[in-house]
mmCIF file of all heavy atoms in Angstrom:
data_model
loop_
_atom_site.group_PDB
_atom_site.id
_atom_site.type_symbol
_atom_site.label_atom_id
_atom_site.label_comp_id
_atom_site.label_asym_id
_atom_site.label_seq_id
_atom_site.Cartn_x
_atom_site.Cartn_y
_atom_site.Cartn_z
ATOM 1 N N ARG A 26 85.563 48.003 120.012
ATOM 2 C CA ARG A 26 85.247 49.102 119.102
ATOM 3 C C ARG A 26 86.418 49.990 118.727
ATOM 4 O O ARG A 26 86.404 50.617 117.670
ATOM 5 C CB ARG A 26 84.161 49.987 119.742
ATOM 6 C CG ARG A 26 82.809 49.303 119.864
ATOM 7 C CD ARG A 26 82.142 49.195 118.513
ATOM 8 N NE ARG A 26 80.800 48.623 118.603
ATOM 9 C CZ ARG A 26 79.966 48.545 117.594
ATOM 10 N NH1 ARG A 26 80.325 49.001 116.416
ATOM 11 N NH2 ARG A 26 78.777 47.989 117.745
ATOM 12 N N ASP A 27 87.412 50.112 119.596
ATOM 13 C CA ASP A 27 88.452 51.101 119.351
ATOM 14 C C ASP A 27 89.186 50.876 118.030
ATOM 15 O O ASP A 27 89.620 51.823 117.381
ATOM 16 C CB ASP A 27 89.455 51.121 120.506
ATOM 17 C CG ASP A 27 88.892 51.848 121.719
ATOM 18 O OD1 ASP A 27 87.796 52.419 121.597
ATOM 19 O OD2 ASP A 27 89.539 51.835 122.783
ATOM 20 N N GLY A 28 89.318 49.648 117.609
ATOM 21 C CA GLY A 28 89.999 49.397 116.344
ATOM 22 C C GLY A 28 89.195 49.777 115.129
ATOM 23 O O GLY A 28 89.735 49.889 114.019
ATOM 24 N N ASP A 29 87.880 50.006 115.306
ATOM 25 C CA ASP A 29 87.008 50.346 114.190
ATOM 26 C C ASP A 29 86.808 51.840 114.018
ATOM 27 O O ASP A 29 86.127 52.273 113.077
ATOM 28 C CB ASP A 29 85.617 49.699 114.385
ATOM 29 C CG ASP A 29 85.710 48.191 114.471
ATOM 30 O OD1 ASP A 29 86.649 47.624 113.880
ATOM 31 O OD2 ASP A 29 84.851 47.581 115.133
ATOM 32 N N SER A 30 87.363 52.656 114.917
ATOM 33 C CA SER A 30 87.089 54.091 114.912
ATOM 34 C C SER A 30 88.392 54.880 114.922
ATOM 35 O O SER A 30 89.436 54.380 115.347
ATOM 36 C CB SER A 30 86.252 54.473 116.142
ATOM 37 O OG SER A 30 85.085 53.684 116.234
ATOM 38 N N PRO A 31 88.353 56.146 114.470
ATOM 39 C CA PRO A 31 89.546 57.000 114.558
ATOM 40 C C PRO A 31 89.983 57.190 116.005
ATOM 41 O O PRO A 31 89.176 57.041 116.944
ATOM 42 C CB PRO A 31 89.056 58.327 113.956
ATOM 43 C CG PRO A 31 87.865 57.976 113.124
ATOM 44 C CD PRO A 31 87.220 56.815 113.808
ATOM 45 N N ALA A 32 91.242 57.550 116.181
ATOM 46 C CA ALA A 32 91.792 57.698 117.525
ATOM 47 C C ALA A 32 91.042 58.759 118.330
ATOM 48 O O ALA A 32 90.859 58.609 119.543
ATOM 49 C CB ALA A 32 93.281 58.044 117.440
ATOM 50 N N TRP A 33 90.584 59.827 117.669
ATOM 51 C CA TRP A 33 89.898 60.882 118.416
ATOM 52 C C TRP A 33 88.569 60.397 118.988
ATOM 53 O O TRP A 33 88.137 60.878 120.028
ATOM 54 C CB TRP A 33 89.692 62.128 117.549
ATOM 55 C CG TRP A 33 88.752 61.962 116.376
ATOM 56 C CD1 TRP A 33 89.076 61.632 115.101
ATOM 57 C CD2 TRP A 33 87.320 62.147 116.391
ATOM 58 N NE1 TRP A 33 87.949 61.586 114.310
ATOM 59 C CE2 TRP A 33 86.863 61.910 115.075
ATOM 60 C CE3 TRP A 33 86.402 62.497 117.381
ATOM 61 C CZ2 TRP A 33 85.510 62.000 114.731
ATOM 62 C CZ3 TRP A 33 85.057 62.600 117.038
ATOM 63 C CH2 TRP A 33 84.624 62.347 115.731
ATOM 64 N N VAL A 34 87.938 59.435 118.325
ATOM 65 C CA VAL A 34 86.697 58.880 118.854
ATOM 66 C C VAL A 34 86.984 58.071 120.120
ATOM 67 O O VAL A 34 86.249 58.151 121.107
ATOM 68 C CB VAL A 34 85.992 58.009 117.793
ATOM 69 C CG1 VAL A 34 84.730 57.370 118.384
ATOM 70 C CG2 VAL A 34 85.640 58.835 116.574
ATOM 71 N N SER A 35 88.061 57.307 120.084
ATOM 72 C CA SER A 35 88.445 56.541 121.274
ATOM 73 C C SER A 35 88.735 57.470 122.446
ATOM 74 O O SER A 35 88.344 57.196 123.592
ATOM 75 C CB SER A 35 89.663 55.677 120.967
ATOM 76 O OG SER A 35 89.384 54.737 119.948
ATOM 77 N N ARG A 36 89.411 58.578 122.161
ATOM 78 C CA ARG A 36 89.709 59.538 123.227
ATOM 79 C C ARG A 36 88.423 60.176 123.757
ATOM 80 O O ARG A 36 88.279 60.413 124.964
ATOM 81 C CB ARG A 36 90.671 60.612 122.718
ATOM 82 C CG ARG A 36 92.080 60.102 122.422
ATOM 83 C CD ARG A 36 93.053 61.257 122.243
ATOM 84 N NE ARG A 36 92.713 62.076 121.083
ATOM 85 C CZ ARG A 36 93.177 61.861 119.847
ATOM 86 N NH1 ARG A 36 93.998 60.842 119.608
ATOM 87 N NH2 ARG A 36 92.838 62.654 118.852
ATOM 88 N N LEU A 37 87.488 60.459 122.848
ATOM 89 C CA LEU A 37 86.208 61.030 123.255
ATOM 90 C C LEU A 37 85.463 60.070 124.179
ATOM 91 O O LEU A 37 84.920 60.480 125.216
ATOM 92 C CB LEU A 37 85.362 61.349 122.024
ATOM 93 C CG LEU A 37 83.987 61.984 122.266
ATOM 94 C CD1 LEU A 37 84.143 63.368 122.890
ATOM 95 C CD2 LEU A 37 83.194 62.075 120.960
ATOM 96 N N ARG A 38 85.447 58.802 123.815
ATOM 97 C CA ARG A 38 84.786 57.798 124.660
ATOM 98 C C ARG A 38 85.449 57.693 126.030
ATOM 99 O O ARG A 38 84.770 57.675 127.061
ATOM 100 C CB ARG A 38 84.826 56.436 123.963
ATOM 101 C CG ARG A 38 83.960 56.305 122.718
ATOM 102 C CD ARG A 38 84.237 54.983 122.064
ATOM 103 N NE ARG A 38 83.469 54.752 120.856
ATOM 104 C CZ ARG A 38 83.923 54.080 119.806
ATOM 105 N NH1 ARG A 38 85.164 53.591 119.808
ATOM 106 N NH2 ARG A 38 83.139 53.903 118.756
ATOM 107 N N GLU A 39 86.766 57.605 126.027
ATOM 108 C CA GLU A 39 87.489 57.469 127.289
ATOM 109 C C GLU A 39 87.233 58.670 128.202
ATOM 110 O O GLU A 39 86.976 58.513 129.400
ATOM 111 C CB GLU A 39 88.991 57.332 127.022
ATOM 112 C CG GLU A 39 89.405 56.018 126.368
ATOM 113 C CD GLU A 39 89.435 54.867 127.368
ATOM 114 O OE1 GLU A 39 89.277 55.124 128.582
ATOM 115 O OE2 GLU A 39 89.618 53.719 126.927
ATOM 116 N N GLY A 40 87.315 59.863 127.618
ATOM 117 C CA GLY A 40 87.067 61.058 128.417
ATOM 118 C C GLY A 40 85.659 61.094 128.963
ATOM 119 O O GLY A 40 85.432 61.530 130.100
ATOM 120 N N ALA A 41 84.700 60.634 128.169
ATOM 121 C CA ALA A 41 83.308 60.622 128.616
ATOM 122 C C ALA A 41 83.108 59.646 129.758
ATOM 123 O O ALA A 41 82.362 59.932 130.710
ATOM 124 C CB ALA A 41 82.388 60.272 127.448
ATOM 125 N N PHE A 42 83.769 58.489 129.686
ATOM 126 C CA PHE A 42 83.592 57.532 130.781
ATOM 127 C C PHE A 42 84.241 58.035 132.066
ATOM 128 O O PHE A 42 83.698 57.835 133.158
ATOM 129 C CB PHE A 42 84.131 56.151 130.420
ATOM 130 C CG PHE A 42 83.642 55.099 131.370
ATOM 131 C CD1 PHE A 42 82.352 54.610 131.264
ATOM 132 C CD2 PHE A 42 84.450 54.619 132.395
ATOM 133 C CE1 PHE A 42 81.867 53.669 132.165
ATOM 134 C CE2 PHE A 42 83.979 53.677 133.290
ATOM 135 C CZ PHE A 42 82.684 53.200 133.175
ATOM 136 N N VAL A 43 85.370 58.708 131.942
ATOM 137 C CA VAL A 43 85.977 59.324 133.127
ATOM 138 C C VAL A 43 85.017 60.355 133.716
ATOM 139 O O VAL A 43 84.825 60.434 134.938
ATOM 140 C CB VAL A 43 87.324 59.976 132.761
ATOM 141 C CG1 VAL A 43 87.842 60.825 133.925
ATOM 142 C CG2 VAL A 43 88.351 58.912 132.399
#
Side-chain angles (χ1 to χ4, degrees):
R26 292 287 184 173
D27 283 354
D29 300 332
S30 306
W33 66 267
V34 177
S35 298
R36 292 193 296 270
L37 181 65
R38 291 173 180 146
E39 291 283 352
F42 195 77
V43 170

